[in-house]
Amino acid sequence: MGRGLSQRTALGLAPCSLNTGPYCKARQRLPLELIRSLVLDVARRTEERMQPQWQWRGRPIKLIDGTTVSMPDTADNQAVFPQNRRQAPGLGFPLARVVGVISLGSGSVLGWTVCACEGAGTAEPMQLRRLLDMFEPGDMAIADRNFASYFMVATLAARGIDWVLRDQPQRKNDPADMARLGPRDHRVTWHKPERPRWMEPCIYEQMPAQLQVREVWDRQWRLITSLADAATVAPQEIAWLYRQRWQIELDFRSIKCVMQMDILRCKTPSMIIKEIAAHLLGYNLIRAIMLAAAQVCSCWPRQLSFACARPAVARTQEALRHDPRRRFAVLLLQLLRQVGLSRIPHRPDRIEPRAIKRRPKPYSYLHYQRHVYRQWLRQKYGRALR
């Protein structure tokens, strides 16, 4: 509301009201499908502008992973997105799991789902099944070991999707089912396990009895892939492909930290889902600008910093708000050049400690509900407060 007021004042128009009630009502009437369609349309247009050298052998690579976000502790949010069971009632915050598919070339979000963090059908592989329709034959999927199950691999293979996954550590392959392709490179035969409880018998019968999987050892990782031809794709290239999975971790960090989606603000589940979609729309729009800047500066979009691109877009938006009569093409060219200058240095196999240098303030954690603490403080310091 303050931005709208400043814009009207700068243009010499009558000031608008600062009452946020009409704004909140209009936001509630905004259809979720409209926001979702805009997110997907921006991603589609961005992918269409991808250059062949930004892909792997002319094939698009799609990264898969999940993350969590918290939200205000309201009864409605707790009913749909319950908090962690290890936290006492009234002390935790509702949590939602977001599973997304992100393009490696452009960084755009191609699809996502939102669900609770626990319960039937909320696991990341189950959520991925809701996103399989956005994959096309010939796509390359890269994900971590959460998705390396027999039935997920069989589903991807049936759709003509190639994949590179990190194998699950508890899986033990029989040496009789392994054929050597090279040093630390084998072809492994998987046998269909028993039917899980969540799978319908008719779907289980359609699954193949065996799967041929290529297994590659890279340092401490055991990778599995559908790229079975060792003469065409070397083990080092498979290891390189899996290392690109880390980009989706950086993308989720940009969405949650730079776009401030880590802690949501809405107090109802329906608005929470809209708020997530709105964040993803803004993220995809900035990714589209970064791709245009990469084309102008002749670099890969992944070489540009998202943390620097977002404030640059905000500054350009502010300039247009206070002086919309300026030539848009000039401001756009300046924006693309500015975004193109914020390049990330090449840091292969970078390792950083998962720790922070700045110490937080030494406040104790809330072990009881807030109203209990208030009553205790009144009883203990009642006379002093008077």
Side-chain angles (χ1 to χ4, degrees):
M1 303 301 294
R3 292 180 179 178
L5 176 61
S6 63
Q7 178 182 4
R8 294 183 63 85
T9 304
L11 297 177
L13 303 176
C16 60
S17 173
L18 292 178
N19 184 12
T20 59
Y23 168 76
C24 295
K25 294 179 181 178
R27 189 174 60 174
Q28 292 176 356
R29 293 195 300 267
L30 186 65
L32 174 62
E33 290 303 320
L34 173 61
I35 308 177
R36 184 184 296 273
S37 62
L38 290 175
V39 177
L40 300 180
D41 186 64
V42 172
R44 178 184 58 80
R45 292 172 180 266
T46 305
E47 288 293 294
E48 290 175 352
R49 298 171 58 187
M50 287 279 296
Q51 298 181 7
Q53 61 268 26
W54 295 345
Q55 299 178 339
W56 179 73
R57 299 189 178 189
R59 302 173 61 181
I61 298 179
K62 298 178 179 180
L63 311 176
I64 308 165
D65 204 1
T67 186
T68 59
V69 294
S70 65
M71 62 197 72
D73 187 14
T74 63
D76 293 338
N77 288 341
Q78 287 280 10
V80 179
F81 305 106
Q83 67 182 42
N84 193 321
R85 288 182 293 179
R86 291 178 294 181
Q87 293 179 317
L91 300 182
F93 292 92
L95 293 176
R97 172 176 286 124
V98 180
V99 176
V101 178
I102 297 181
S103 169
L104 174 63
S106 65
S108 301
V109 177
L110 306 177
W112 77 97
T113 62
V114 182
C115 66
C117 285
E118 59 181 15
T122 60
E124 292 182 3
M126 299 299 296
Q127 296 302 309
L128 175 60
R129 295 181 181 276
R130 298 170 52 188
L131 300 172
L132 288 178
D133 290 338
M134 56 152 296
F135 286 85
E136 298 180 359
D139 287 348
M140 174 65 66
I142 301 178
D144 58 16
R145 55 190 176 187
N146 288 338
F147 303 90
S149 66
Y150 183 96
F151 301 107
M152 178 57 67
V153 167
T155 302
L156 295 176
R159 292 175 173 262
I161 304 170
D162 284 322
W163 39 269
V164 176
L165 309 173
R166 182 181 175 185
D167 200 4
Q168 297 177 355
Q170 66 270 19
R171 179 178 286 116
K172 305 298 180 182
N173 296 318
D174 189 349
D177 296 330
M178 302 175 64
R180 189 175 185 273
L181 301 176
R184 305 176 70 86
D185 190 1
H186 300 83
R187 181 183 295 112
V188 183
T189 300
W190 284 1
H191 302 279
K192 184 167 66 171
E194 296 181 358
R195 182 178 66 88
R197 290 180 297 178
W198 55 267
M199 180 175 289
E200 298 293 336
C202 58
I203 300 179
Y204 179 78
E205 294 298 329
Q206 297 175 0
M207 293 291 174
Q210 293 181 348
L211 288 175
Q212 295 291 331
V213 177
R214 183 181 177 187
E215 180 186 85
V216 175
W217 284 83
D218 175 66
R219 299 179 182 177
Q220 73 276 17
W221 295 339
R222 186 175 64 175
L223 308 178
I224 55 175
T225 178
S226 60
L227 304 174
D229 191 355
T232 304
V233 184
Q236 294 81 3
E237 194 168 2
I238 294 176
W240 178 88
L241 285 172
Y242 183 76
R243 286 193 184 97
Q244 306 313 305
R245 192 205 67 84
W246 187 250
Q247 294 293 337
I248 195 172
E249 302 285 355
L250 303 179
D251 294 337
F252 277 136
R253 183 186 67 177
S254 298
I255 295 173
K256 296 173 64 175
C257 298
V258 181
M259 297 296 297
Q260 300 179 1
M261 199 186 79
D262 189 17
I263 301 177
L264 303 175
R265 301 174 59 184
C266 294
K267 299 181 179 181
T268 59
S270 59
M271 293 303 299
I272 285 293
I273 298 176
K274 288 183 185 179
E275 187 176 359
I276 293 174
H279 278 91
L280 297 181
L281 175 58
Y283 172 81
N284 275 3
L285 289 172
I286 296 177
R287 281 295 182 184
I289 294 175
M290 294 175 64
L291 185 136
Q295 292 175 335
V296 172
C297 301
S298 301
C299 64
W300 188 31
R302 288 290 183 178
Q303 295 178 278
L304 303 180
S305 171
F306 185 89
C308 295
R310 183 185 180 277
V313 173
R315 288 191 295 268
T316 303
Q317 181 186 10
E318 194 71 21
L320 288 173
R321 180 182 297 112
H322 288 87
D323 192 5
R325 299 182 181 88
R326 295 182 61 182
R327 291 179 297 174
F328 176 77
V330 175
L331 287 176
L332 179 60
L333 182 59
Q334 294 177 356
L335 172 63
L336 297 182
R337 289 176 177 175
Q338 183 179 0
V339 173
L341 292 176
S342 58
R343 300 200 182 185
I344 302 174
H346 182 56
R347 298 170 291 192
D349 299 330
R350 181 189 182 195
I351 297 177
E352 292 289 343
R354 200 180 183 111
I356 57 176
K357 180 179 179 180
R358 191 175 300 278
R359 269 55 174 172
K361 295 182 179 180
Y363 292 134
S364 59
Y365 289 105
L366 198 65
H367 297 289
Y368 302 95
Q369 296 186 18
R370 191 172 297 274
H371 71 274
V372 176
Y373 263 120
R374 288 173 179 168
Q375 184 179 1
W376 177 79
L377 289 173
R378 288 192 181 97
Q379 294 176 356
K380 185 176 181 180
Y381 302 104
R383 294 182 179 179
L385 294 175
R386 295 175 183 172

